[in-house]
Amino acid sequence: MPDMENFSEFCGMQDECALAGAAAFFAGIPDAAVVINGPLWCYYYAMRHIEMNEPLISKRMLCTQLDNEAIVFGSEEYLRDTLAPYAEKPPSVLCIANNCSASLIGDDVLGIARELGISCPVIAPESGGLIGGFAEGWQKASLSLLDEVNFEAKEKIQSAVNLLGVTGGYYNGLEDAEELKRLLTLAGYQVQACPGAGMAFADFSKLSRASLNIVVHRELGMPLARKLHEMFGTPYIAPLPPYGISGTRQWMDAVNDALEAPAKSDFESVCAKTEQRIFLRIGDLKGIWDELWYDEAIVSGTETSAAAFAQALRGEWADIGRLTLIHPAGRKPENYSAADDILDAGKDIDAIKKRFSNMKQGIVAASSNETTQLTNFTDGKIEVFPIAYPVFDSMKLSDAPFMGLRGAAYVQEFLWNAKIHEIARNVASEK
Protein backbone atom coordinates (compact mmCIF):
# COMPACT_ATOMS: atom_id res chain seq x y z
CA MET A 1 0.00 0.00 0.00
CA PRO A 2 1.43 3.47 -0.87
CA ASP A 3 2.51 5.72 1.98
CA MET A 4 -0.28 8.28 2.08
CA GLU A 5 1.64 10.31 4.69
CA ASN A 6 3.77 11.58 1.80
CA PHE A 7 0.75 12.80 -0.14
CA SER A 8 1.69 16.45 0.30
CA GLU A 9 5.01 15.76 -1.40
CA PHE A 10 3.20 14.19 -4.34
CA CYS A 11 0.93 17.22 -4.71
CA GLY A 12 3.95 19.47 -4.80
CA MET A 13 5.31 17.50 -7.75
CA GLN A 14 2.27 17.94 -9.97
CA ASP A 15 3.76 20.97 -11.74
CA GLU A 16 7.24 21.26 -13.21
CA CYS A 17 9.33 24.39 -12.62
CA ALA A 18 9.66 27.43 -14.88
CA LEU A 19 13.11 26.24 -15.96
CA ALA A 20 11.56 23.05 -17.37
CA GLY A 21 8.88 25.09 -19.14
CA ALA A 22 11.36 27.46 -20.80
CA ALA A 23 13.64 24.59 -21.80
CA ALA A 24 10.67 22.61 -23.16
CA PHE A 25 9.65 25.50 -25.42
CA PHE A 26 13.10 25.70 -27.03
CA ALA A 27 13.42 21.92 -27.08
CA GLY A 28 10.34 22.04 -29.31
CA ILE A 29 12.37 23.96 -31.91
CA PRO A 30 14.36 21.19 -33.64
CA ASP A 31 17.27 23.41 -34.70
CA ALA A 32 17.61 25.18 -31.33
CA ALA A 33 20.12 24.47 -28.58
CA VAL A 34 19.54 24.90 -24.84
CA VAL A 35 22.06 25.62 -22.10
CA ILE A 36 20.90 25.23 -18.52
CA ASN A 37 22.87 27.65 -16.35
CA GLY A 38 22.67 25.86 -13.03
CA PRO A 39 23.71 22.72 -11.15
CA LEU A 40 23.32 19.25 -12.61
CA TRP A 41 20.35 18.56 -10.35
CA CYS A 42 18.28 21.25 -12.10
CA TYR A 43 19.49 20.08 -15.49
CA TYR A 44 18.39 16.50 -14.87
CA TYR A 45 15.12 17.67 -13.35
CA ALA A 46 14.25 19.56 -16.53
CA MET A 47 15.64 16.79 -18.75
CA ARG A 48 13.54 14.17 -16.93
CA HIS A 49 10.45 15.94 -18.16
CA ILE A 50 11.59 16.93 -21.64
CA GLU A 51 13.16 13.63 -22.68
CA MET A 52 9.83 11.83 -22.25
CA ASN A 53 8.93 13.36 -25.59
CA GLU A 54 12.43 14.29 -26.88
CA PRO A 55 14.57 11.22 -26.01
CA LEU A 56 17.65 12.63 -27.78
CA ILE A 57 17.43 16.11 -26.27
CA SER A 58 20.80 15.65 -24.48
CA LYS A 59 22.50 16.11 -27.88
CA ARG A 60 21.41 19.76 -27.96
CA MET A 61 20.84 20.55 -24.28
CA LEU A 62 23.90 21.20 -22.10
CA CYS A 63 24.53 22.30 -18.51
CA THR A 64 27.08 24.70 -17.00
CA GLN A 65 27.19 22.48 -13.87
CA LEU A 66 27.41 25.34 -11.38
CA ASP A 67 28.82 24.48 -7.96
CA ASN A 68 28.61 26.34 -4.65
CA GLU A 69 31.55 28.58 -5.55
CA ALA A 70 29.80 29.73 -8.74
CA ILE A 71 26.62 30.52 -6.84
CA VAL A 72 28.64 32.88 -4.61
CA PHE A 73 31.17 34.40 -7.03
CA GLY A 74 29.39 34.16 -10.41
CA SER A 75 28.89 31.77 -13.29
CA GLU A 76 30.91 33.56 -16.01
CA GLU A 77 33.73 31.00 -16.19
CA TYR A 78 31.28 28.11 -16.33
CA LEU A 79 29.24 29.81 -19.03
CA ARG A 80 32.29 30.52 -21.18
CA ASP A 81 33.39 26.88 -21.06
CA THR A 82 29.91 25.57 -21.90
CA LEU A 83 29.13 28.11 -24.63
CA ALA A 84 32.51 27.90 -26.39
CA PRO A 85 31.48 25.15 -28.88
CA TYR A 86 28.59 27.32 -30.12
CA ALA A 87 31.01 30.06 -31.18
CA GLU A 88 32.46 27.69 -33.79
CA LYS A 89 29.23 25.93 -34.73
CA PRO A 90 26.18 27.99 -33.76
CA PRO A 91 22.67 26.54 -33.85
CA SER A 92 19.80 28.47 -35.46
CA VAL A 93 18.91 29.89 -32.04
CA LEU A 94 20.40 29.41 -28.57
CA CYS A 95 18.52 29.55 -25.26
CA ILE A 96 20.39 30.12 -21.99
CA ALA A 97 18.02 29.31 -19.13
CA ASN A 98 19.04 30.27 -15.59
CA ASN A 99 17.96 28.18 -12.65
CA CYS A 100 16.72 29.87 -9.46
CA SER A 101 20.13 30.53 -7.90
CA ALA A 102 21.73 31.63 -11.19
CA SER A 103 18.88 34.10 -11.71
CA LEU A 104 19.78 35.75 -8.40
CA ILE A 105 23.47 36.11 -9.32
CA GLY A 106 22.67 38.56 -12.10
CA ASP A 107 25.43 37.62 -14.55
CA ASP A 108 25.17 39.22 -18.00
CA VAL A 109 24.72 35.95 -19.86
CA LEU A 110 23.87 37.67 -23.14
CA GLY A 111 26.97 39.82 -22.88
CA ILE A 112 29.11 36.74 -22.25
CA ALA A 113 27.65 35.07 -25.34
CA ARG A 114 28.37 38.16 -27.46
CA GLU A 115 31.96 38.33 -26.23
CA LEU A 116 32.45 34.73 -27.34
CA GLY A 117 31.33 35.70 -30.85
CA ILE A 118 28.25 33.47 -30.99
CA SER A 119 26.59 34.60 -34.20
CA CYS A 120 23.10 33.13 -33.84
CA PRO A 121 20.26 34.77 -31.86
CA VAL A 122 20.77 34.14 -28.13
CA ILE A 123 17.76 34.21 -25.80
CA ALA A 124 17.90 34.31 -22.00
CA PRO A 125 14.27 34.07 -20.82
CA GLU A 126 13.41 34.58 -17.17
CA SER A 127 13.11 31.05 -15.82
CA GLY A 128 13.88 31.16 -12.11
CA GLY A 129 11.47 29.42 -9.77
CA LEU A 130 10.09 32.69 -8.39
CA ILE A 131 8.10 33.40 -11.57
CA GLY A 132 5.96 30.24 -11.30
CA GLY A 133 5.76 26.78 -12.79
CA PHE A 134 6.03 25.10 -16.19
CA ALA A 135 3.39 27.28 -17.88
CA GLU A 136 5.00 30.54 -16.74
CA GLY A 137 8.41 29.41 -17.99
CA TRP A 138 6.94 28.37 -21.35
CA GLN A 139 5.18 31.75 -21.64
CA LYS A 140 8.34 33.73 -20.89
CA ALA A 141 10.33 31.70 -23.41
CA SER A 142 7.78 32.11 -26.21
CA LEU A 143 7.53 35.87 -25.69
CA SER A 144 11.29 36.37 -25.46
CA LEU A 145 11.84 34.75 -28.85
CA LEU A 146 9.62 37.23 -30.71
CA ASP A 147 12.28 39.95 -30.49
CA GLU A 148 14.66 37.78 -32.54
CA VAL A 149 12.23 36.85 -35.33
CA ASN A 150 12.48 38.53 -38.72
CA PHE A 151 8.77 38.59 -39.53
CA GLU A 152 7.60 38.40 -43.12
CA ALA A 153 6.44 41.83 -44.29
CA LYS A 154 3.51 40.45 -46.26
CA GLU A 155 -0.25 40.69 -46.11
CA LYS A 156 -2.20 38.18 -44.09
CA ILE A 157 -3.48 35.04 -45.77
CA GLN A 158 -7.27 34.98 -45.53
CA SER A 159 -7.68 31.35 -44.47
CA ALA A 160 -4.44 31.04 -42.50
CA VAL A 161 -4.35 30.23 -38.79
CA ASN A 162 -1.71 29.64 -36.11
CA LEU A 163 -1.92 27.12 -33.27
CA LEU A 164 -0.55 28.60 -30.05
CA GLY A 165 0.13 27.00 -26.68
CA VAL A 166 0.99 23.52 -27.96
CA THR A 167 3.97 21.62 -26.59
CA GLY A 168 5.59 18.24 -26.45
CA GLY A 169 6.04 19.02 -22.77
CA TYR A 170 2.42 17.94 -22.34
CA TYR A 171 1.67 14.22 -22.59
CA ASN A 172 0.67 13.35 -26.15
CA GLY A 173 0.91 17.04 -27.02
CA LEU A 174 2.52 16.66 -30.44
CA GLU A 175 0.10 13.90 -31.49
CA ASP A 176 -2.77 16.19 -30.53
CA ALA A 177 -1.22 19.03 -32.53
CA GLU A 178 -1.04 16.87 -35.65
CA GLU A 179 -4.72 15.95 -35.27
CA LEU A 180 -5.73 19.60 -34.94
CA LYS A 181 -3.70 20.47 -38.04
CA ARG A 182 -5.43 17.63 -39.90
CA LEU A 183 -8.89 18.84 -38.93
CA LEU A 184 -8.12 22.47 -39.78
CA THR A 185 -6.69 21.47 -43.15
CA LEU A 186 -9.77 19.33 -43.77
CA ALA A 187 -11.93 22.40 -43.17
CA GLY A 188 -9.87 24.38 -45.69
CA TYR A 189 -7.61 26.38 -43.37
CA GLN A 190 -3.88 26.85 -43.86
CA VAL A 191 -1.95 26.21 -40.64
CA GLN A 192 0.95 28.67 -40.77
CA ALA A 193 2.76 28.13 -37.49
CA CYS A 194 2.72 26.09 -34.30
CA PRO A 195 5.54 27.56 -32.18
CA GLY A 196 7.38 25.31 -29.76
CA ALA A 197 5.90 22.11 -31.18
CA GLY A 198 8.37 20.92 -33.82
CA MET A 199 8.55 24.10 -35.91
CA ALA A 200 11.98 25.26 -37.12
CA PHE A 201 13.21 28.70 -36.06
CA ALA A 202 13.00 30.14 -39.60
CA ASP A 203 9.29 29.31 -39.74
CA PHE A 204 8.49 31.61 -36.80
CA SER A 205 8.36 34.43 -39.35
CA LYS A 206 5.08 32.95 -40.59
CA LEU A 207 3.31 33.89 -37.35
CA SER A 208 2.46 37.30 -38.79
CA ARG A 209 0.71 35.84 -41.86
CA ALA A 210 -2.24 34.28 -40.02
CA SER A 211 -5.71 35.83 -39.96
CA LEU A 212 -6.56 34.06 -36.68
CA ASN A 213 -4.62 32.68 -33.73
CA ILE A 214 -6.11 29.61 -32.04
CA VAL A 215 -4.96 29.12 -28.46
CA VAL A 216 -5.04 25.41 -27.64
CA HIS A 217 -3.85 25.52 -24.01
CA ARG A 218 -4.76 28.85 -22.45
CA GLU A 219 -2.24 28.61 -19.62
CA LEU A 220 0.54 28.44 -22.24
CA GLY A 221 -0.56 30.40 -25.28
CA MET A 222 -2.64 33.35 -24.08
CA PRO A 223 0.27 35.79 -23.48
CA LEU A 224 1.67 34.97 -26.92
CA ALA A 225 -1.76 35.49 -28.51
CA ARG A 226 -2.12 38.88 -26.81
CA LYS A 227 1.37 39.92 -27.90
CA LEU A 228 0.74 38.94 -31.54
CA HIS A 229 -2.54 40.85 -31.43
CA GLU A 230 -0.63 43.88 -30.18
CA MET A 231 2.06 43.52 -32.86
CA PHE A 232 -0.04 42.56 -35.90
CA GLY A 233 -3.67 43.04 -34.90
CA THR A 234 -4.32 39.29 -35.25
CA PRO A 235 -7.52 38.24 -33.45
CA TYR A 236 -7.44 35.15 -31.25
CA ILE A 237 -9.78 32.64 -29.65
CA ALA A 238 -9.22 30.20 -26.80
CA PRO A 239 -11.98 27.55 -26.63
CA LEU A 240 -11.50 24.45 -24.49
CA PRO A 241 -9.37 21.84 -26.29
CA PRO A 242 -11.45 19.45 -28.47
CA TYR A 243 -11.97 16.13 -26.71
CA GLY A 244 -14.72 13.85 -27.99
CA ILE A 245 -16.93 14.25 -31.06
CA SER A 246 -19.09 16.91 -29.44
CA GLY A 247 -16.08 18.82 -28.12
CA THR A 248 -14.44 18.70 -31.54
CA ARG A 249 -17.58 20.07 -33.20
CA GLN A 250 -17.79 22.89 -30.66
CA TRP A 251 -14.12 23.71 -31.14
CA MET A 252 -14.45 23.86 -34.93
CA ASP A 253 -17.61 25.96 -34.61
CA ALA A 254 -15.66 28.44 -32.49
CA VAL A 255 -12.93 28.63 -35.13
CA ASN A 256 -15.50 29.03 -37.90
CA ASP A 257 -17.31 31.81 -36.00
CA ALA A 258 -14.05 33.73 -35.79
CA LEU A 259 -12.85 32.96 -39.34
CA GLU A 260 -15.18 31.27 -41.80
CA ALA A 261 -13.90 27.89 -42.93
CA PRO A 262 -13.46 27.52 -46.70
CA ALA A 263 -14.55 23.86 -46.58
CA LYS A 264 -16.41 23.29 -43.32
CA SER A 265 -18.76 20.84 -45.04
CA ASP A 266 -15.81 18.52 -45.70
CA PHE A 267 -15.00 18.51 -41.98
CA GLU A 268 -18.65 17.94 -41.07
CA SER A 269 -18.89 15.00 -43.48
CA VAL A 270 -15.87 13.26 -41.94
CA CYS A 271 -17.12 14.09 -38.46
CA ALA A 272 -20.52 12.55 -39.15
CA LYS A 273 -18.98 9.37 -40.56
CA THR A 274 -16.66 9.02 -37.56
CA GLU A 275 -19.52 9.59 -35.13
CA GLN A 276 -21.72 7.02 -36.88
CA ARG A 277 -18.97 4.40 -36.90
CA ILE A 278 -18.30 4.88 -33.18
CA PHE A 279 -22.02 4.93 -32.30
CA LEU A 280 -22.81 1.71 -34.15
CA ARG A 281 -19.81 -0.15 -32.77
CA ILE A 282 -20.49 0.91 -29.19
CA GLY A 283 -24.16 0.03 -29.66
CA ASP A 284 -23.14 -3.53 -30.44
CA LEU A 285 -20.89 -3.64 -27.37
CA LYS A 286 -23.61 -2.34 -25.05
CA GLY A 287 -25.84 -5.22 -26.11
CA ILE A 288 -23.21 -7.64 -24.82
CA TRP A 289 -21.41 -5.83 -22.01
CA ASP A 290 -23.99 -3.26 -20.81
CA GLU A 291 -23.29 0.46 -20.32
CA LEU A 292 -19.87 1.93 -19.64
CA TRP A 293 -20.24 3.08 -16.04
CA TYR A 294 -17.87 4.33 -13.33
CA ASP A 295 -18.94 4.93 -9.75
CA GLU A 296 -16.31 7.62 -9.48
CA ALA A 297 -13.92 9.48 -11.75
CA ILE A 298 -10.94 11.64 -10.85
CA VAL A 299 -9.34 13.78 -13.56
CA SER A 300 -6.11 15.62 -12.83
CA GLY A 301 -3.70 17.07 -15.36
CA THR A 302 -2.62 20.31 -16.96
CA GLU A 303 -5.13 23.11 -16.61
CA THR A 304 -7.08 23.08 -19.88
CA SER A 305 -6.51 19.41 -20.74
CA ALA A 306 -7.94 18.17 -17.46
CA ALA A 307 -11.07 20.33 -17.74
CA ALA A 308 -11.75 19.39 -21.36
CA PHE A 309 -11.04 15.68 -20.82
CA ALA A 310 -13.39 15.59 -17.82
CA GLN A 311 -16.11 17.24 -19.89
CA ALA A 312 -15.87 14.63 -22.64
CA LEU A 313 -15.57 11.76 -20.15
CA ARG A 314 -18.87 12.59 -18.48
CA GLY A 315 -20.69 14.10 -21.44
CA GLU A 316 -19.86 11.56 -24.13
CA TRP A 317 -17.61 8.65 -23.22
CA ALA A 318 -19.10 7.15 -20.06
CA ASP A 319 -21.71 7.42 -17.31
CA ILE A 320 -20.15 8.78 -14.13
CA GLY A 321 -21.46 8.67 -10.58
CA ARG A 322 -19.20 11.34 -9.11
CA LEU A 323 -16.54 13.29 -11.01
CA THR A 324 -13.74 15.23 -9.34
CA LEU A 325 -11.56 17.63 -11.30
CA ILE A 326 -8.20 18.49 -9.74
CA HIS A 327 -6.83 21.72 -11.18
CA PRO A 328 -3.10 22.39 -10.83
CA ALA A 329 -3.70 26.14 -11.10
CA GLY A 330 -6.70 26.15 -8.79
CA ARG A 331 -8.76 28.09 -11.33
CA LYS A 332 -12.30 27.05 -12.16
CA PRO A 333 -13.22 27.14 -15.86
CA GLU A 334 -15.98 29.61 -16.66
CA ASN A 335 -19.47 28.18 -17.16
CA TYR A 336 -18.18 24.72 -16.31
CA SER A 337 -20.57 22.07 -14.98
CA ALA A 338 -18.94 18.75 -15.93
CA ALA A 339 -17.43 18.12 -12.48
CA ASP A 340 -19.16 17.62 -9.15
CA ASP A 341 -16.06 18.88 -7.33
CA ILE A 342 -13.15 21.05 -8.42
CA LEU A 343 -10.16 20.83 -6.08
CA ASP A 344 -7.05 22.98 -5.96
CA ALA A 345 -3.99 20.74 -6.27
CA GLY A 346 -1.90 23.10 -4.19
CA LYS A 347 -4.36 23.89 -1.41
CA ASP A 348 -6.97 21.14 -1.02
CA ILE A 349 -4.44 18.53 0.10
CA ASP A 350 -6.60 16.84 2.74
CA ALA A 351 -9.64 16.61 0.44
CA ILE A 352 -7.53 15.16 -2.39
CA LYS A 353 -5.90 12.65 -0.05
CA LYS A 354 -9.30 11.50 1.19
CA ARG A 355 -10.68 11.21 -2.33
CA PHE A 356 -7.84 8.95 -3.49
CA SER A 357 -7.62 6.81 -0.37
CA ASN A 358 -11.39 6.17 -0.30
CA MET A 359 -11.75 5.36 -3.99
CA LYS A 360 -13.01 1.78 -4.53
CA GLN A 361 -14.17 1.62 -8.14
CA GLY A 362 -13.89 3.97 -11.10
CA ILE A 363 -11.39 5.67 -13.36
CA VAL A 364 -8.45 7.98 -12.77
CA ALA A 365 -7.26 10.11 -15.68
CA ALA A 366 -4.06 11.68 -14.45
CA SER A 367 -0.29 11.16 -14.24
CA SER A 368 1.69 8.42 -12.52
CA ASN A 369 2.15 10.72 -9.53
CA GLU A 370 -1.55 10.29 -8.80
CA THR A 371 -1.96 6.61 -9.65
CA THR A 372 0.75 5.64 -7.15
CA GLN A 373 -1.50 7.04 -4.42
CA LEU A 374 -4.39 4.69 -5.14
CA THR A 375 -4.79 2.21 -2.31
CA ASN A 376 -6.99 -0.10 -4.41
CA PHE A 377 -5.11 0.20 -7.67
CA THR A 378 -3.94 -3.42 -7.81
CA ASP A 379 -7.31 -5.15 -7.45
CA GLY A 380 -8.45 -4.24 -10.97
CA LYS A 381 -11.46 -2.16 -9.94
CA ILE A 382 -9.89 1.19 -10.75
CA GLU A 383 -9.04 1.96 -14.36
CA VAL A 384 -6.18 4.31 -15.20
CA PHE A 385 -5.86 6.51 -18.27
CA PRO A 386 -2.70 8.66 -18.38
CA ILE A 387 -3.25 12.24 -19.55
CA ALA A 388 -0.27 14.06 -18.00
CA TYR A 389 3.44 13.58 -17.40
CA PRO A 390 5.09 11.74 -15.76
CA VAL A 391 3.85 8.38 -17.07
CA PHE A 392 5.71 5.36 -15.70
CA ASP A 393 2.93 2.77 -15.44
CA SER A 394 1.74 2.76 -19.05
CA MET A 395 3.25 2.42 -22.52
CA LYS A 396 2.08 4.30 -25.62
CA LEU A 397 4.02 3.95 -28.86
CA SER A 398 1.32 4.78 -31.40
CA ASP A 399 0.69 8.27 -32.78
CA ALA A 400 -2.99 8.24 -31.79
CA PRO A 401 -4.05 11.62 -30.34
CA PHE A 402 -6.40 12.23 -27.43
CA MET A 403 -8.02 15.26 -29.09
CA GLY A 404 -10.16 15.51 -32.17
CA LEU A 405 -11.93 12.77 -34.12
CA ARG A 406 -9.09 10.26 -34.00
CA GLY A 407 -8.72 10.96 -30.30
CA ALA A 408 -12.41 10.33 -29.64
CA ALA A 409 -12.09 6.91 -31.25
CA TYR A 410 -8.84 6.08 -29.44
CA VAL A 411 -10.03 7.02 -25.93
CA GLN A 412 -13.30 5.10 -26.27
CA GLU A 413 -11.43 2.11 -27.67
CA PHE A 414 -9.21 2.15 -24.57
CA LEU A 415 -12.09 2.54 -22.11
CA TRP A 416 -14.24 -0.19 -23.63
CA ASN A 417 -11.39 -2.66 -23.95
CA ALA A 418 -10.53 -2.07 -20.29
CA LYS A 419 -14.15 -2.73 -19.27
CA ILE A 420 -14.35 -5.92 -21.32
CA HIS A 421 -11.07 -7.21 -19.89
CA GLU A 422 -12.22 -6.44 -16.34
CA ILE A 423 -15.44 -8.38 -16.80
CA ALA A 424 -13.55 -11.29 -18.33
CA ARG A 425 -11.15 -11.34 -15.37
CA ASN A 426 -14.02 -11.34 -12.90
CA VAL A 427 -15.74 -14.23 -14.68
CA ALA A 428 -12.51 -16.21 -14.71
CA SER A 429 -11.93 -15.62 -10.98
CA GLU A 430 -15.41 -16.95 -10.16
CA LYS A 431 -14.81 -20.27 -11.85
Coordinates of all heavy atoms in Angstrom, one line a residue, residues 213-250:
N213 N -5.4 33.5 -34.6 CA -4.6 32.7 -33.7 C -5.5 31.8 -32.8 O -6.5 32.4 -32.2 CB -3.7 33.5 -32.9 CG -2.5 34.1 -33.6 OD1 -2.0 33.4 -34.5 ND2 -2.1 35.3 -33.3
I214 N -5.3 30.5 -32.8 CA -6.1 29.6 -32.0 C -5.3 29.2 -30.9 O -4.3 28.5 -31.0 CB -6.6 28.4 -32.9 CG1 -7.3 28.9 -34.1 CG2 -7.4 27.5 -32.0 CD1 -7.5 27.7 -35.1
V215 N -5.7 29.5 -29.7 CA -5.0 29.1 -28.5 C -5.5 27.8 -28.0 O -6.7 27.6 -27.7 CB -5.1 30.2 -27.3 CG1 -4.4 29.7 -26.1 CG2 -4.7 31.5 -27.8
V216 N -4.6 26.8 -28.0 CA -5.0 25.4 -27.6 C -5.1 25.3 -26.1 O -6.1 24.8 -25.5 CB -4.1 24.4 -28.3 CG1 -4.6 22.9 -27.9 CG2 -4.2 24.5 -29.8
H217 N -3.9 25.6 -25.5 CA -3.8 25.5 -24.0 C -3.7 26.9 -23.5 O -2.6 27.6 -23.7 CB -2.7 24.6 -23.6 CG -2.8 23.2 -23.9 ND1 -3.8 22.4 -23.4 CD2 -2.1 22.5 -24.8 CE1 -3.6 21.2 -23.9 NE2 -2.7 21.2 -24.8
R218 N -4.7 27.4 -22.9 CA -4.8 28.8 -22.5 C -3.6 29.2 -21.5 O -3.0 30.3 -21.6 CB -6.1 29.2 -21.7 CG -7.3 28.9 -22.6 CD -8.6 29.0 -21.7 NE -9.8 28.6 -22.5 CZ -10.9 28.4 -21.9 NH1 -11.1 28.5 -20.6 NH2 -12.0 28.0 -22.7
E219 N -3.3 28.3 -20.6 CA -2.2 28.6 -19.6 C -0.9 28.8 -20.3 O 0.0 29.4 -19.7 CB -2.2 27.5 -18.5 CG -1.7 26.2 -19.0 CD -2.7 25.3 -19.6 OE1 -3.8 25.8 -19.9 OE2 -2.5 24.1 -19.7
L220 N -0.7 28.3 -21.5 CA 0.5 28.4 -22.2 C 0.5 29.6 -23.2 O 1.3 30.4 -23.3 CB 0.9 27.1 -23.0 CG 1.1 25.9 -22.2 CD1 1.5 24.7 -23.1 CD2 2.2 26.1 -21.2
G221 N -0.6 29.6 -24.1 CA -0.6 30.4 -25.3 C -1.2 31.8 -25.2 O -1.0 32.6 -26.1
M222 N -1.9 32.1 -24.1 CA -2.6 33.4 -24.1 C -1.7 34.6 -24.1 O -2.0 35.5 -24.9 CB -3.5 33.4 -22.8 CG -4.8 32.6 -23.0 SD -5.9 33.3 -24.4 CE -6.4 34.8 -23.7
P223 N -0.6 34.6 -23.4 CA 0.3 35.8 -23.5 C 0.8 36.0 -24.9 O 0.9 37.1 -25.4 CB 1.4 35.5 -22.5 CG 0.7 34.6 -21.5 CD -0.2 33.7 -22.3
L224 N 1.2 34.9 -25.5 CA 1.7 35.0 -26.9 C 0.6 35.5 -27.9 O 0.9 36.3 -28.7 CB 2.2 33.6 -27.4 CG 2.8 33.5 -28.8 CD1 4.0 34.5 -28.9 CD2 3.2 32.1 -29.1
A225 N -0.6 35.0 -27.7 CA -1.8 35.5 -28.5 C -2.0 37.0 -28.3 O -2.2 37.7 -29.3 CB -3.0 34.7 -28.2
R226 N -1.9 37.4 -27.1 CA -2.1 38.9 -26.8 C -1.0 39.7 -27.4 O -1.2 40.8 -28.0 CB -2.2 39.1 -25.3 CG -3.4 38.5 -24.6 CD -3.5 38.9 -23.2 NE -4.6 38.3 -22.5 CZ -4.4 37.3 -21.6 NH1 -3.2 36.9 -21.2 NH2 -5.5 36.8 -21.0
K227 N 0.2 39.2 -27.3 CA 1.4 39.9 -27.9 C 1.3 40.0 -29.4 O 1.5 41.1 -30.0 CB 2.7 39.2 -27.5 CG 3.9 40.0 -27.9 CD 4.0 41.3 -27.3 CE 5.3 42.0 -27.6 NZ 5.4 43.4 -27.0
L228 N 0.9 38.9 -30.1 CA 0.7 38.9 -31.5 C -0.4 39.8 -32.0 O -0.4 40.5 -33.0 CB 0.5 37.5 -32.0 CG 1.8 36.6 -31.9 CD1 1.4 35.2 -32.3 CD2 2.9 37.1 -32.8
H229 N -1.4 39.9 -31.1 CA -2.5 40.8 -31.4 C -2.0 42.3 -31.3 O -2.4 43.1 -32.2 CB -3.7 40.6 -30.4 CG -4.9 41.5 -30.7 ND1 -5.0 42.7 -30.0 CD2 -5.9 41.5 -31.5 CE1 -6.1 43.3 -30.4 NE2 -6.7 42.6 -31.3
E230 N -1.2 42.5 -30.3 CA -0.6 43.9 -30.2 C 0.3 44.2 -31.3 O 0.3 45.4 -31.8 CB 0.1 43.9 -28.9 CG 0.8 45.2 -28.6 CD 1.7 45.1 -27.3 OE1 1.2 44.6 -26.3 OE2 2.8 45.6 -27.3
M231 N 1.1 43.3 -31.8 CA 2.1 43.5 -32.9 C 1.4 43.6 -34.2 O 1.8 44.5 -35.0 CB 3.1 42.4 -32.8 CG 4.0 42.4 -31.6 SD 5.1 41.0 -31.5 CE 6.2 41.3 -32.9
F232 N 0.5 42.7 -34.5 CA 0.0 42.6 -35.9 C -1.6 42.7 -36.0 O -2.1 42.6 -37.1 CB 0.4 41.2 -36.5 CG 1.8 40.9 -36.4 CD1 2.3 39.9 -35.6 CD2 2.7 41.7 -37.1 CE1 3.7 39.6 -35.5 CE2 4.1 41.4 -37.0 CZ 4.6 40.4 -36.2
G233 N -2.2 42.9 -34.9 CA -3.7 43.0 -34.9 C -4.4 41.7 -35.2 O -5.6 41.7 -35.5
T234 N -3.7 40.6 -35.0 CA -4.3 39.3 -35.3 C -5.3 38.9 -34.2 O -4.9 38.8 -33.0 CB -3.2 38.2 -35.4 OG1 -2.2 38.7 -36.2 CG2 -3.8 36.9 -35.9
P235 N -6.6 38.7 -34.5 CA -7.5 38.2 -33.5 C -7.2 36.8 -33.0 O -6.5 36.1 -33.7 CB -8.9 38.3 -34.2 CG -8.5 38.1 -35.6 CD -7.2 38.8 -35.8
Y236 N -7.7 36.5 -31.8 CA -7.4 35.1 -31.3 C -8.7 34.6 -30.5 O -9.5 35.4 -30.1 CB -6.2 35.2 -30.3 CG -6.4 36.1 -29.1 CD1 -6.9 35.7 -27.9 CD2 -5.9 37.4 -29.2 CE1 -7.0 36.5 -26.8 CE2 -6.0 38.3 -28.1 CZ -6.6 37.8 -26.9 OH -6.7 38.6 -25.8
I237 N -8.7 33.3 -30.4 CA -9.8 32.6 -29.6 C -9.1 31.6 -28.8 O -8.0 31.1 -29.1 CB -10.8 32.0 -30.6 CG1 -10.2 30.9 -31.5 CG2 -11.6 33.0 -31.3 CD1 -11.2 30.1 -32.3
A238 N -9.8 31.2 -27.7 CA -9.2 30.2 -26.8 C -10.3 29.3 -26.2 O -10.6 29.2 -25.0 CB -8.5 30.9 -25.7
P239 N -11.0 28.5 -27.1 CA -12.0 27.6 -26.6 C -11.3 26.4 -25.9 O -10.1 26.2 -26.1 CB -12.7 27.1 -27.9 CG -11.6 27.2 -29.0 CD -10.8 28.4 -28.6
L240 N -12.1 25.6 -25.1 CA -11.5 24.5 -24.5 C -11.0 23.5 -25.6 O -11.6 23.4 -26.6 CB -12.6 23.7 -23.6 CG -12.7 24.2 -22.2 CD1 -13.8 23.4 -21.5 CD2 -11.4 24.1 -21.4
P241 N -9.9 22.8 -25.3 CA -9.4 21.8 -26.3 C -10.4 20.8 -26.7 O -11.3 20.5 -25.9 CB -8.2 21.2 -25.5 CG -7.8 22.2 -24.5 CD -9.0 22.9 -24.1
P242 N -10.4 20.3 -27.9 CA -11.5 19.5 -28.5 C -11.3 18.0 -28.1 O -10.6 17.2 -28.8 CB -11.3 19.7 -30.0 CG -9.9 20.0 -30.2 CD -9.4 20.7 -29.0
Y243 N -11.9 17.5 -27.0 CA -12.0 16.1 -26.7 C -13.4 15.6 -27.0 O -14.4 16.2 -26.7 CB -11.7 15.9 -25.2 CG -10.2 16.1 -24.8 CD1 -9.8 17.4 -24.5 CD2 -9.3 15.1 -24.8 CE1 -8.5 17.6 -24.2 CE2 -8.0 15.3 -24.5 CZ -7.6 16.6 -24.1 OH -6.3 16.8 -23.8
G244 N -13.4 14.4 -27.6 CA -14.7 13.8 -28.0 C -15.3 14.4 -29.3 O -14.9 15.5 -29.7
I245 N -16.3 13.8 -29.8 CA -16.9 14.3 -31.1 C -17.6 15.6 -30.8 O -17.4 16.5 -31.6 CB -18.0 13.2 -31.6 CG1 -17.3 11.9 -31.9 CG2 -18.7 13.8 -32.8 CD1 -16.3 11.9 -33.0
S246 N -18.4 15.7 -29.7 CA -19.1 16.9 -29.4 C -18.1 18.1 -29.2 O -18.3 19.2 -29.7 CB -20.0 16.7 -28.2 OG -20.7 17.9 -27.9
G247 N -17.1 17.8 -28.4 CA -16.1 18.8 -28.1 C -15.4 19.3 -29.4 O -15.0 20.5 -29.5
T248 N -15.1 18.3 -30.3 CA -14.4 18.7 -31.5 C -15.3 19.6 -32.4 O -14.9 20.5 -33.0 CB -14.1 17.4 -32.3 OG1 -13.2 16.6 -31.5 CG2 -13.4 17.8 -33.6
R249 N -16.6 19.2 -32.4 CA -17.6 20.1 -33.2 C -17.6 21.5 -32.6 O -17.6 22.5 -33.4 CB -19.0 19.4 -33.2 CG -19.2 18.3 -34.2 CD -20.7 18.2 -34.5 NE -20.9 17.2 -35.5 CZ -21.3 16.0 -35.4 NH1 -21.4 15.5 -34.2 NH2 -21.5 15.2 -36.4
Q250 N -17.7 21.6 -31.3 CA -17.8 22.9 -30.7 C -16.5 23.7 -30.9 O -16.6 24.9 -31.2 CB -18.0 22.7 -29.2 CG -19.4 22.1 -28.8 CD -19.5 21.8 -27.3 OE1 -18.6 22.2 -26.5 NE2 -20.5 21.1 -26.9

